[in-house]
Structures are given as C-alpha cells and as structure tokens.
C-alpha cells in the first residue's frame, strides 16, 4: 500500500452561486446530504462525494493568494450509465433540469457513447456509457475497459 491511497473520495466544485448550483443538482434528483446548506453541501454519488463550496472560500484554502478562477478549467466530471440508450435519456433529463447542452449524444470511436452538458456554472459533465463498464451495488465504477 502506498502512503497516498489510489482512490478518489471527494470532488469539490467551487460555486459562484451556491443557491442556484444546489438547486440544479437537486433537480437532477441527486440526494443532498442532510447537513447541506449555502455554506457547504454534498451529494454522495456511488461512493464519491460531490461537494459544493463557495468559490471564494475554496480559493482561499486551495489556492491562497490566487485570483478567483473564471471560465472552463479543462476538467470534466463523468457519470457513467448502464446502457447506450441511457446516455440520450440522461442527457435530455439533465438539460430539462437546467444544464446547458454542450455536445449531443454520439457514438465514440472507442466503442462507447457519450454526451456533454455544463451545469449552471459551466462545470462540464460527460454522460457516458462504455461496453465494458461494470459497477458495484452502490453504483461505483469497478471496471471500464
């Protein structure tokens, strides 16, 4: 075992507007942690916590002395679904919940299918299906390819 375990436990998004961002993720039907409020909140997603934290507070902790970031940072988050057809349905549901469409569902050269949306603050999400993906009972990704 290494000193730093090979695991991803929490993904934190710096929120410019906590009220709106919380509303969006709740509109997707994702259960918010009971302790969630406008100072910090989280959504437990198949063993990984998606945390929302005010951008100014996150910048002060994670990048002290830096300016508040703007624009897309070149990072995407992904939600893997169980079937090829679910990509299209999940994409439509996300757009209905307030996501901005970025790229519609497309069959990819590697054999899967995916689409891209942005949440109300521009964070990019890929909705993806891979033919070799398997999940545990919590929905955590076990294998990809």
């Amino acid at each position: 075992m290494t000193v730093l375990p090979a695991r991803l436990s929490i993904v934190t998004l710096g929120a410019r507007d906590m009220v709106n961002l919380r509303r969006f993720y709740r509109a997707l039907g994702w259960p918010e942690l009971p302790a969630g409020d406008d100072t910090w909140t989280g959504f437990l997603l198949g063993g990984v916590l998606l945390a929302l934290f005010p951008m100014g507070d996150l910048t002060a902790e994670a990048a002290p002395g830096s300016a508040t970031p703007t624009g897309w940072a070149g990072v995407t988050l992904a939600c893997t679904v169980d079937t090829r057809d679910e990509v299209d349905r999940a994409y439509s549901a996300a757009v209905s919940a307030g996501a901005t469409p970025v790229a519609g569902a497309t069959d990819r050269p590697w054999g899967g299918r995916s689409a891209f949306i942005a949440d109300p603050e521009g964070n990019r999400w890929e909705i993806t299906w891979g033919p070799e993906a398997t999940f545990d009972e919590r929905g955590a990704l076990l294998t990809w390819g």
Side-chain angles (χ1 to χ4, degrees), residues 6 8 15 21 36 41 46 48 52 65-66 71 77 81 86 108 110-111 117 119 132:
L8 179 63
L21 207 54
T41 194
V48 175
L52 307 180
S66 299
L77 305 167
V81 295
E86 282 181 68
R108 302 295 177 184
W110 48 268
I117 55 106
D119 73 12
E132 303 297 322

Side-chain angles (χ1 to χ4, degrees), residues 80-128:
T80 304
V81 295
D82 293 324
T83 68
R84 177 184 301 279
D85 291 340
E86 282 181 68
V87 172
D88 300 77
R89 289 193 299 271
Y91 175 80
S92 294
V95 171
S96 293
T100 300
V102 174
T106 303
D107 289 330
R108 302 295 177 184
W110 48 268
R113 184 169 180 80
S114 70
F116 287 85
I117 55 106
D119 73 12
E121 295 200 357
N123 297 298
R124 297 304 202 271
W125 280 87
E126 180 180 17
I127 301 165
T128 188

Side-chain angles (χ1 to χ4, degrees), residues 21-62:
L21 207 54
R22 285 178 68 208
R23 184 181 307 121
F24 170 73
Y25 286 106
R26 287 191 309 252
L28 291 177
W30 294 1
E32 186 174 17
L33 296 179
D37 62 24
D38 289 339
T39 63
W40 178 93
T41 194
F43 300 84
L44 193 55
L45 310 175
V48 175
L49 181 68
L50 174 65
L52 307 180
F53 198 55
M55 181 65 80
D57 296 339
L58 183 59
T59 301
E61 289 185 11

